[in-house]
Amino acid sequence: KNEVEQSPQNLTAQEGEFITINCSYSVGISALHWLQQHPGGGIVSLFMLSSGKKKHGRLIATINIQEKHSSLHITASHPRDSAVYICAVLGSNFGNEKLTFGTGTRLTIIP
Amino acid sequence: EAQVTQNPRYLITVTGKKLTVTCSQNMNHEYMSWYRQDPGLGLRQIYYSMNVEVTDKGDVPEGYKVSRKEKRNFPLILESPSPNQTSLYFCASSPRRGLPAGYTFGSGTRLTVV
């Protein structure tokens, strides 16, 4: 079983829909990252979370440390949101800088 | 412009011919790391460095070497490349652990070993 599991693997939605992508992990962490990989391959860091909730524009990320679960939400989705969204966790031990990644959720927004 | 620069973007090489992929950042970041991305396996960490002369193995270090002689540069060295090292490689940097900062990624290097 992977240490970081994302769901769904693929998601197709109509423009304007509310999108939720989930990430579950099985190890102790100090932080969780959400990344966006564009169709051209470039990777952008969206959020780093250690507790609670963060919002940036139409993107919202939440984390529940007790349940070892995080969600990424996109409100009023747009075709330009089409990308692969990747969850990554950073180990909880100081000095351990290993990032472990989920395999990503491919999101396609249809106009 | 704050960025992580990887070179080359594309590389085709033959088995056994030593190669180096360069990575440079201009943000004075302490932390740098290398990842490879393969279909179905996602991103996996190869090596990371928490500061100059401090490096450590990630999940898939076999067949790779790194060095961190200066803060800005973190080259990835394949001493004897093999076809199973054909992959998409990313370098990334971040300020340091504990700060609410994300990672800045390079544009990627697509390596093919024949």
Side-chain angles (χ1 to χ4, degrees), chain B:
Chain B
E1 181 190 348
Q3 59 185 1
V4 174
T5 303
Q6 276 181 244
N7 280 298
R9 289 292 306 276
Y10 301 90
L11 178 60
I12 301 173
T13 191
V14 296
T15 298
K17 186 177 180 182
K18 181 179 178 180
L19 67 92
T20 299
V21 185
T22 63
C23 175
S24 180
Q25 50 94 4
N26 61 0
M27 297 165 281
N28 202 38
H29 284 174
E30 289 186 359
Y31 176 85
M32 297 184 75
S33 58
W34 276 103
Y35 309 91
R36 60 178 289 173
Q37 186 177 36
D38 302 290
L41 297 175
L43 284 157
R44 293 177 292 169
Q45 191 167 35
I46 303 171
Y47 270 96
Y48 62 91
S49 169
M50 292 176 67
N51 214 324
V52 175
E53 302 292 2
V54 180
T55 63
D56 208 345
K57 296 177 180 178
D59 290 318
V60 288
E62 296 78 19
Y64 304 95
K65 283 175 57 176
V66 293
S67 69
R68 187 95 181 271
K69 294 186 170 58
E70 333 163 73
K71 204 169 191 178
R72 62 184 293 123
N73 294 323
F74 190 46
L76 180 70
I77 302 155
L78 285 72
E79 294 269 3
S80 183
S82 62
N84 65 12
Q85 292 178 298
T86 292
S87 188
L88 178 58
Y89 292 86
F90 288 97
C91 178
S93 72
S94 73
R96 62 182 169 90
R97 176 183 258 274
L99 291 181
Y103 294 84
T104 302
F105 283 81
S107 301
T109 295
R110 188 167 292 280
L111 172 65
T112 302
V113 184
V114 298

Side-chain angles (χ1 to χ4, degrees), chain A residues 5-63:
Chain A
E5 300 270 358
Q6 284 186 240
S7 63
Q9 284 190 304
N10 295 283
L11 178 56
T12 300
Q14 292 289 136
E15 183 174 355
E17 285 190 40
F18 181 82
I19 303 298
T20 296
I21 298 170
N22 296 299
C23 176
S24 297
Y25 52 92
S26 58
V27 296
I29 69 168
S30 62
L32 181 144
H33 294 262
W34 280 102
L35 310 172
Q36 179 192 54
Q37 186 168 26
H38 299 292
I43 298 175
V44 174
S45 183
L46 297 175
F47 294 104
M48 173 177 156
L49 293 161
S50 54
S51 64
K53 177 179 174 178
K54 285 191 177 178
K55 184 175 190 292
H56 185 257
R58 294 179 296 105
L59 301 178
I60 304 164
T62 63
I63 188 167

